[in-house]
Amino acid sequence: MMRVPPLETERLIIRPFTLNDLDDIHQILDVDLLAAEFGTEGANTRDERKSWLQWTILSYEELAKLNQPPYGDRAVVLKQTQQVIGACGFVPCFRAFEQLPSLRSGSQDADVYFKSPEFGLFYALSPTYQRQGYTTEAIQALINYAFTQLHLKRIVATTTYENVASIGVMRNVGMRIEKNPFPDPPWFQVVGILENRPANLRQTRS
């Protein structure tokens, strides 16, 4: 069964959430990052975030039982203080990825782009801890695990044109940045793509 163990980097631990993390993650996702664009309907109340957290924790075990990819958010924790400073994880991305030139099928009709699933990354860090390399460090640990343990062929991340910080993280971990050359759908804008090659792996501990 595919259970992702805690992943350790120089400064961080990326681990499964517990119910004790509710107040921290509610503060980060629903208060500190209220204006951030995560592709959701907006901030959750504490009770709504609690339901999300319970669902997230249950999904670790249930997906593992079904031998499904280990989708779901995990806590980003400072190793020195054990403080939860954000969330990251693996997510299913369902987009018209063949609109991107590098992922376009040679036989693809020029006017028809079917949606397809890709294995994606999610990351969100408290503003207090942004621009210190923590996000890149956490995402690199996820990439290393996905490539060496899950033997994933490719991993992606998506964001908006305006999210310069997110695009910077993509570049820092070696992703190729592509933009949707079409105006539609309006929410499908920037994609980072990383293929599984030895050069894309960096030292982390797990």
Side-chain angles (χ1 to χ4, degrees):
M1 292 191 285
M2 291 187 286
R3 292 189 181 91
V4 180
L7 305 176
E8 183 179 343
T9 71
E10 181 181 353
R11 300 178 295 173
L12 303 172
I13 297 172
I14 296 91
R15 61 159 175 79
F17 275 111
T18 71
L19 289 177
N20 292 332
D21 297 322
L22 174 58
D23 288 333
D24 286 335
I25 199 59
H26 173 57
Q27 177 68 36
I28 293 168
L29 296 183
D30 304 310
V31 180
D32 297 343
L33 295 175
L34 177 62
E37 174 54 60
F38 295 129
T40 61
E41 296 300 320
N44 288 325
T45 65
R46 188 179 185 279
D47 284 343
E48 289 170 336
R49 183 58 63 188
K50 182 178 180 180
S51 295
W52 170 88
L53 186 59
Q54 292 169 329
W55 169 80
T56 297
I57 294 168
L58 286 171
S59 73
Y60 301 144
E61 183 68 19
E62 297 307 315
L63 288 173
K65 286 178 182 177
L66 295 171
N67 289 307
Q68 293 300 302
Y71 293 129
D73 295 75
R74 286 165 172 78
V76 179
V77 180
L78 278 180
K79 188 185 294 184
Q80 187 173 17
T81 64
Q82 298 300 302
Q83 175 66 36
V84 175
I85 64 171
C88 66
F90 301 123
V91 294
C93 290
F94 189 58
R95 304 283 191 273
F97 283 102
E98 288 192 350
Q99 290 184 194
L100 304 176
S102 72
L103 299 183
R104 191 169 301 161
S105 169
S107 61
Q108 179 66 53
D109 188 307
D111 297 320
V112 178
Y113 298 101
F114 295 109
K115 291 183 179 178
S116 59
E118 288 282 346
F119 199 86
L121 293 169
F122 168 82
Y123 42 92
L125 227 66
S126 165
T128 302
Y129 297 95
Q130 293 177 8
R131 296 178 176 82
Q132 299 176 57
Y134 290 122
T135 306
T136 297
E137 196 170 319
I139 292 308
Q140 189 63 57
L142 290 179
I143 290 170
N144 286 0
Y145 183 84
F147 283 178
T148 63
Q149 303 303 311
L150 301 180
H151 304 291
L152 194 69
K153 176 183 179 181
R154 178 173 59 226
I155 199 163
V156 305
T158 63
T159 191
T160 59
Y161 297 129
E162 295 79 16
N163 198 334
V164 177
S166 182
I167 295 172
V169 171
M170 295 177 189
R171 295 189 190 279
N172 288 342
V173 297
M175 285 184 157
R176 178 177 75 253
I177 307 300
E178 294 200 33
K179 296 181 179 180
N180 180 12
F182 302 96
D184 293 315
W187 39 261
F188 184 43
Q189 299 181 7
V190 179
V191 182
I193 304 168
L194 189 65
E195 306 289 343
N196 189 352
R197 299 186 179 96
N200 294 326
L201 302 179
R202 301 175 189 173
Q203 184 64 40
T204 60
R205 290 176 288 175
S206 60

